[in-house]
Structures are given as structure tokens and as C-alpha cells.
Amino acid sequence: MFVLDDVAACGQRAARLCLALRTGLAICIALFCLLASSPAAFSQSATLTISPATYTSAGVTMTYSIRITPGSVNIRSINATSSNIKGVPITCDAIPPSGFVIPFNCRGSYVTTATDNTTGQFGDNIRFTGTRTGGNFDFTTNYATATKQGGGGTSTTVSSSPNPALPGETVLIRARVSSLGCDAGQAPVAPSRSPSVRSRRPSG
């Protein structure tokens, strides 16, 4: 009887252990599936580079290069798109029937405009959507910029006081040079001091 009781108790402990293992395995599988379906687990990235990094004038062709890393997902399709700010058409490497699990590239080109020449810089980013194994994806690249060599244009204003001036009166002249770029009206400002001149009396 003692032996039988020990065998029965051992069998019960073994059954409980098996149940615990099955429960633990089920929990692990559920957690894995949850993580696999979470966008944060995909580790996708899309990096935009604009080259060259600088331009000299309007009419310069700039190249958009995008490197997409699928992460732990299999990208099956990616929608044709254009950039968010400049509207640059973007094309990507052809996706094979099996999908992409390795990094691949997209590209586009942009020609600088008179506005870019005046402001002295421009920037852009791109949103990508498509399908992956098990669902959809939606992500946006970094914001990339390019700048004009020498900066953007300037605006110069000159004022005098009093205006009009009487003969022989001292006149204060001020000149202000302002940026037309992204910090329009803030910098540079020159000169730091205002010269004064004395108006001449008419001769005779």
C-alpha cells in the first residue's frame, strides 16, 4: 500500500508538472504572437538622404535616396508615393513574390526652385504604406534638408530722419539688411550704427 501511495503521489506530481509546462508553453506562445503583431516589434526604419547636401542656385537636380529596413517583418508590397512637402515622385526596388525581409532602396529627384534659392534651404520627408505578412504597415522617414551655398537672399531697406530735411539740418540715415530665408527679418542686420550727414544749404 505504501508503495502504491508513493506511485500515485508521484503520478499526481508528474501530471501537475506537465500541466504547468503546457500552461507555461501556451503563455510563451501567446506572448510571442502578441509581440510579433505589435508594430513596435517590427523595428522598421526608413532613412531619407538628399544629395548633394548643398546647392548653388535654382535649377539644380537633387537626388532623394531612401533606405528601408523591414526589420522582423516581410514587406509584400509598398505603395507608390510622393514626398510630403515637395511632391517628389518616389519609386522603389521591385518586390519579389516572396517579399522583402532585407533592406531595399527607393529613390526620386527634385530640381531646386527660385523659392529654394531665396530661402537658402529646403527640407522634405516621405510617408510609406503597404502590406506585410500578417497586416499593413505605415511609417515616415526622417526630415532631411539641403542648404544653399552662401545662404539665401537678403532685403535691404534705407530710411532717413527727418524726411524731408531742411537745408543745413543733420539727417540720420539707417540701413537694414534682412534675411529672406527661414529666419526672415531676424538676421543679419547691419550696420550696427547709423551714420549721419548734414544737408547742404543751396548755394547762391
Side-chain angles (χ1 to χ4, degrees):
M1 178 65 82
F2 178 78
V3 174
L4 291 177
D5 288 342
D6 282 350
V7 171
C10 182
Q12 291 174 0
R13 287 195 297 271
R16 287 195 296 268
L17 178 59
C18 290
L19 178 62
L21 289 174
R22 286 197 299 268
T23 302
L25 181 60
I27 292 174
C28 289
I29 292 174
L31 288 174
F32 175 81
C33 293
L34 178 62
L35 290 174
S37 63
S38 171
F42 298 155
S43 300
Q44 296 168 338
S45 66
T47 303
L48 168 63
T49 303
I50 300 177
S51 60
T54 61
Y55 56 96
T56 56
S57 63
V60 176
T61 299
M62 312 294 288
T63 300
Y64 282 38
S65 301
I66 307 99
R67 183 71 164 173
I68 297 180
T69 302
S72 60
V73 303
N74 185 13
I75 291 181
R76 307 303 299 269
S77 70
I78 190 164
N79 296 330
T81 185
S82 59
S83 65
N84 292 333
I85 299 173
K86 294 297 186 178
V88 176
I90 301 298
T91 60
C92 297
D93 295 341
I95 298 180
S98 59
F100 264 133
V101 294
I102 60 174
F104 62 98
N105 300 308
C106 300
R107 61 202 61 82
S109 62
Y110 171 71
V111 178
T112 56
T113 65
T115 300
D116 302 324
N117 192 52
T118 299
T119 59
Q121 71 171 9
F122 72 90
D124 214 341
N125 60 4
I126 304 163
R127 178 185 178 188
F128 289 97
T129 60
T131 60
R132 59 174 176 82
T133 299
N136 301 318
F137 67 84
D138 185 336
F139 52 82
T140 301
T141 70
N142 57 299
Y143 181 80
T145 61
T147 57
K148 180 189 174 185
Q149 295 179 15
T154 59
S155 172
T156 303
T157 57
V158 180
S159 62
S160 62
S161 179
N163 186 10
L166 298 174
E169 189 174 11
T170 298
V171 178
L172 184 66
I173 299 176
R174 289 187 172 89
R176 181 180 180 88
V177 181
S178 302
S179 168
L180 296 178
C182 59
D183 296 325
Q186 297 182 16
V189 176
S192 58
R193 57 177 181 167
S194 302
S196 61
V197 297
R198 184 179 294 276
S199 61
R200 294 182 179 180
R201 293 180 182 274
S203 59

